[in-house]
Amino acid sequence: MREVREFQYDNLRCLLIALVVLGHLLEIAGEFPHKETLYTLIYSFHMPAFLFLSGMFARFDRGKFIFGMALPYLVLQTFYTSFVEKLGDSYVHMQFSRPYWLLWYLFVLMLYTLLLPVYDIPSRWGRGVLLAATVALALLAGYDPSIDYQWSASRFITFQPWFLAGYYFRREKGLRLWWRQAGRSVRIGMTALAAACCVLFERLLFACGVTAKMLMGSYGYESLGYDWRIRGLGMCCAASVICLLLVLASRRKGRLPVVTTLGQNTLSIYLLHGLLVQLLRLKYRFLLSEPWQVLVVWLLLLLLLGNPIAGRCVSFLFGAGWYRRLQAMRAEKRQMPDA
């Protein structure tokens, strides 16, 4: 039986991929008021939330893993580094052990998918212990300076709890059933509590002078002068925002014009926007000098790369679409009666 598509998660994906693109544009944009504040706010939750959603829908499929993750990573790593080198960035060199820029996400997602048999613990107690262990590792990893960009080890450890939390949340049918049956007062109370926690933790983050670099999961504590308490505060902030997003998404489960379509084509936006951002960074940075220019470029990138045509093409090439098509053709051929 074919599963019914849950449009509320497509809507969330649209929000999160839009923030990913905006964050990358802000990295290279000119200086303007509140730029750093917005940049830090985005990084306080958008990658944990994206990995949470990825964990929710994760499943191991050998063909999808090989042809929809491993092979695309090798191809895109080669293409991205070659593209940026041709544009004149002399600091970039071809190496597969150090994912280039945004490709770290694809790389760690590949590793998490390989670990799904380890994550798949039947008992709720066992799942809780494993999740707590990954949180402890995420807090302790910052003390080891050797855990860095190589093999995306730092981000793999730092963001693992979010993927795992999403994977387990999807399997908590009782929790979701309780939420569907909850009364209006309970829903309002939960929404208010989640919103209050978001405001509280965000204010604490900024009061502590947290920067976006501290929230990227790439840098050790010593290099940026912070410790496990700041990382823990960041995790609390991300958790509260994820809860609020899930609560709000459950209130509107239908399609939203444009938003749902973009959310269904996040793969094309994710894989292709980096090329255009690098082109802007190295050749046309003046196009991002003012806030209104950033806004226009941001919207254009989302609409250009998130349309269904681009989505189908990228899914066919890099989302194992061609492999599924080939498998279907082979199955049809085997079912054809002999002449």
Side-chain angles (χ1 to χ4, degrees):
M1 182 176 175
R2 188 173 181 180
E3 293 186 6
V4 178
R5 182 133 192 153
E6 297 173 283
F7 295 118
Q8 69 267 33
Y9 297 119
D10 290 325
N11 300 335
L12 279 185
R13 288 190 188 95
C14 174
L15 169 65
L16 295 173
I17 196 64
L19 292 176
V20 169
V21 176
L22 180 58
H24 289 156
L25 290 175
L26 290 175
E27 286 182 16
I28 61 174
E31 294 300 321
F32 50 81
H34 309 300
K35 171 191 164 183
E36 291 302 320
T37 301
L38 177 59
Y39 187 58
T40 303
L41 181 64
I42 290 172
Y43 273 87
S44 69
F45 69 89
H46 81 308
M47 290 319 305
F50 228 133
L51 281 163
F52 185 92
L53 282 181
S54 296
M56 282 184 64
F57 297 97
R59 64 183 181 86
F60 185 81
D61 178 272
R62 185 175 61 179
K64 175 70 180 296
F65 175 79
I66 296 173
F67 301 107
M69 289 184 174
L71 185 58
Y73 169 72
L74 296 176
V75 172
L76 290 164
Q77 178 76 356
T78 303
F79 186 74
Y80 258 92
T81 51
S82 301
F83 178 77
V84 176
E85 279 186 303
K86 290 292 184 183
L87 288 177
D89 192 334
S90 58
Y91 294 99
V92 176
H93 303 287
M94 171 59 63
Q95 52 181 323
F96 293 106
S97 62
R98 194 181 179 98
Y100 177 70
W101 192 35
L102 53 69
L103 293 179
W104 73 267
Y105 186 89
L106 178 59
F107 186 80
V108 299
L109 202 58
M110 186 169 61
L111 298 181
Y112 294 151
T113 302
L114 276 178
L115 288 171
L116 285 179
V118 177
Y119 296 150
D120 203 9
I121 299 173
S123 73
R124 185 174 293 177
W125 183 87
R127 293 196 295 265
V129 169
L130 182 57
L131 182 58
T134 62
V135 171
L137 281 174
L139 295 174
L140 293 172
Y143 287 106
D144 188 348
S146 67
I147 302 176
D148 54 15
Y149 281 100
Q150 196 72 5
W151 301 108
S152 287
S154 182
R155 278 172 162 162
F156 170 80
I157 297 173
T158 302
F159 291 120
Q160 186 175 205
W162 304 113
F163 180 87
L164 198 56
Y167 186 67
Y168 290 157
F169 175 78
R170 184 68 173 177
R171 284 143 189 81
E172 285 292 334
K173 296 181 180 179
L175 178 62
R176 296 201 306 278
L177 179 62
W178 171 82
W179 178 253
R180 285 198 294 268
Q181 295 176 346
R184 187 168 181 267
S185 60
V186 173
R187 289 173 176 266
I188 293 175
M190 290 293 294
T191 304
L193 177 62
C197 289
C198 290
V199 173
L200 173 63
F201 288 124
E202 289 289 357
R203 287 181 66 87
L204 286 174
L205 273 181
F206 285 101
C208 293
V210 171
T211 64
K213 280 190 174 183
M214 296 178 184
L215 302 168
M216 290 180 179
S218 303
Y219 302 92
Y221 298 145
E222 186 178 354
S223 63
L224 296 179
Y226 69 116
D227 58 22
W228 68 271
R229 289 169 295 185
I230 295 296
R231 179 165 289 181
L233 179 59
M235 295 178 78
C236 290
C237 181
S240 62
V241 175
I242 290 170
C243 289
L244 180 61
L245 291 176
L246 290 174
V247 168
L248 293 177
S250 68
R251 297 173 64 89
R252 181 63 184 267
K253 297 185 178 181
R255 294 184 65 97
L256 295 175
V258 182
V259 171
T260 305
T261 300
L262 293 177
Q264 292 172 345
N265 295 291
T266 54
L267 182 63
S268 58
I269 300 174
Y270 161 64
L271 293 180
L272 299 181
H273 87 274
L275 298 173
L276 297 177
V277 170
Q278 290 301 323
L279 182 63
L280 289 167
R281 177 176 73 89
L282 295 168
K283 298 295 183 182
Y284 304 104
R285 205 161 183 162
F286 64 90
L287 293 176
L288 299 172
S289 302
E290 300 292 336
W292 70 268
Q293 292 176 306
V294 175
L295 179 62
V296 170
V297 172
W298 176 51
L299 293 175
L300 287 176
L301 286 180
L302 291 175
L303 295 175
L304 175 66
L305 304 178
N307 71 80
I309 296 175
R312 284 194 294 268
C313 291
V314 170
S315 180
F316 182 80
L317 292 173
F318 298 111
W322 64 271
Y323 173 75
R324 290 193 295 269
R325 178 73 61 82
L326 184 62
Q327 292 294 93
M329 291 172 62
R330 287 177 176 174
E332 289 178 4
K333 189 174 182 180
R334 285 196 295 268
Q335 293 174 3
M336 290 178 62
D338 295 332

